[in-house]
Amino acid sequence: MKPILFFDFDMTICRDRFWRSLGAYDYDRIQTMISVDHAAMFEEWMRGKWTSEEINRFIANHLDIPYETLWDAFVTDAKTMYVAPETLERVAALRDKFHTVLVTINVDSFGRFTVPALGLDAYFDRIDNSSDHGRFKYDDDGALFADLARELAAPITDSFLFDDSPRNCEVFAKLGGTACQVDNDRTVVTYLDQLIERVD
C-alpha cells in the first residue's frame, strides 16, 4: 500500500497568475476586483458555480476591458503557467514509492487549459480540482484528503502534503499526515530532496 504525496498548485509548485500578460495596470485592477470587491464570487468560481467565460464577461463589463482581449490573455496565461522542471523531475522520481496527487483549490480553466498545456497528468496519478466538485481542502475537517486516501487504499499517516496554506497544513496534520508548509525559504524542491534522501 503506497502512501500519497499531495501537492498544492498555486503558490506551491506554481506562482503565476491569470491576466498577468495584460500589464500591471489592468492586472492590479482585476486582482482588486476578484479578491476584494467580489471575493465571494471568486470563491464560488473555485467551487464550480461560475465558468471562466462568465467571470471574464463580468470583469469585462465592470472594468470596461474588451472581452476578447481579456479572454485571450486569460487563456494564454492559463496555458503558460510555469512549473519548474526540477519540481516535476522530483515528483517523477518518487512515483514508484508514492501515489502522486495534485489537489488544488482552483477554477475550471485549470483542467481545461493548464493541465493539458503543461502535461501535468504525466506526473500526477490523480488531479483533483475544487471546481469539479465544489469542495475545498479544509472543508469538513479535511474530508477530501481522507476520501482520496480511502479511494487509493493509502495510509494517510504515511502520506505528505506540500502546500503554502497554513490552514490546509493544519487540517492535514490533524488527520495524521505530515504537512510540509511551503514558503520562500522552504520550497517544494527542498522538501522533496529531503524525502528522496529518506526513501533511497
Side-chain angles (χ1 to χ4, degrees), residues 42-126:
F42 182 57
E43 179 173 321
E44 290 178 347
W45 184 22
M46 293 187 292
R47 291 188 185 273
K49 296 180 180 179
W50 298 90
T51 67
S52 292
E53 286 86 349
E54 290 170 329
I55 293 293
N56 276 272
R57 181 72 67 186
F58 183 81
I59 294 170
N61 291 339
H62 281 71
L63 297 184
D64 197 27
I65 301 173
Y67 173 78
E68 292 75 15
T69 300
L70 199 64
W71 178 251
D72 288 347
F74 177 81
V75 173
T76 296
D77 293 349
K79 289 181 175 180
T80 57
M81 289 191 165
Y82 179 74
V83 178
E86 54 265 31
T87 298
L88 297 177
E89 288 167 5
R90 285 156 176 79
V91 173
L94 287 161
R95 287 185 78 184
D96 60 335
K97 294 182 174 67
F98 295 89
H99 295 290
T100 56
V101 176
L102 187 59
V103 56
T104 179
I105 297 175
N106 218 306
V107 299
D108 61 312
S109 62
F110 186 71
R112 294 167 60 189
F113 306 127
T114 306
V115 170
L118 274 58
L120 294 176
D121 51 4
Y123 296 91
F124 297 96
D125 301 316
R126 178 166 178 152

Side-chain angles (χ1 to χ4, degrees), residues 122-163:
Y123 296 91
F124 297 96
D125 301 316
R126 178 166 178 152
I127 297 175
D128 190 279
N129 182 5
S130 64
S131 69
D132 294 331
H133 48 63
R135 292 201 295 174
F136 285 4
K137 285 175 269 190
Y138 54 73
D139 287 351
D140 302 318
D141 299 320
L144 178 60
F145 291 121
D147 289 347
L148 288 169
R150 192 176 304 111
E151 289 176 25
L152 293 171
I156 201 164
T157 52
D158 296 328
S159 297
F160 294 79
L161 169 68
F162 306 95
D163 201 308

Side-chain angles (χ1 to χ4, degrees), residues 29 31-40:
R29 294 169 68 209
Q31 291 304 312
T32 298
M33 182 177 176
I34 66 173
S35 62
V36 179
D37 300 337
H38 298 279

Side-chain angles (χ1 to χ4, degrees), residues 6-10 12 103-105 135-139 141-142 144-145 161-175 177-181:
F6 291 102
F7 293 88
D8 174 49
F9 186 77
D10 183 48
T12 296
V103 56
T104 179
I105 297 175
R135 292 201 295 174
F136 285 4
K137 285 175 269 190
Y138 54 73
D139 287 351
D141 299 320
L144 178 60
F145 291 121
L161 169 68
F162 306 95
D163 201 308
D164 70 300
S165 164
R167 186 176 187 180
N168 293 335
C169 288
E170 181 181 355
V171 164
F172 189 75
K174 286 182 178 178
L175 292 172
T178 299
C180 302
Q181 187 177 340

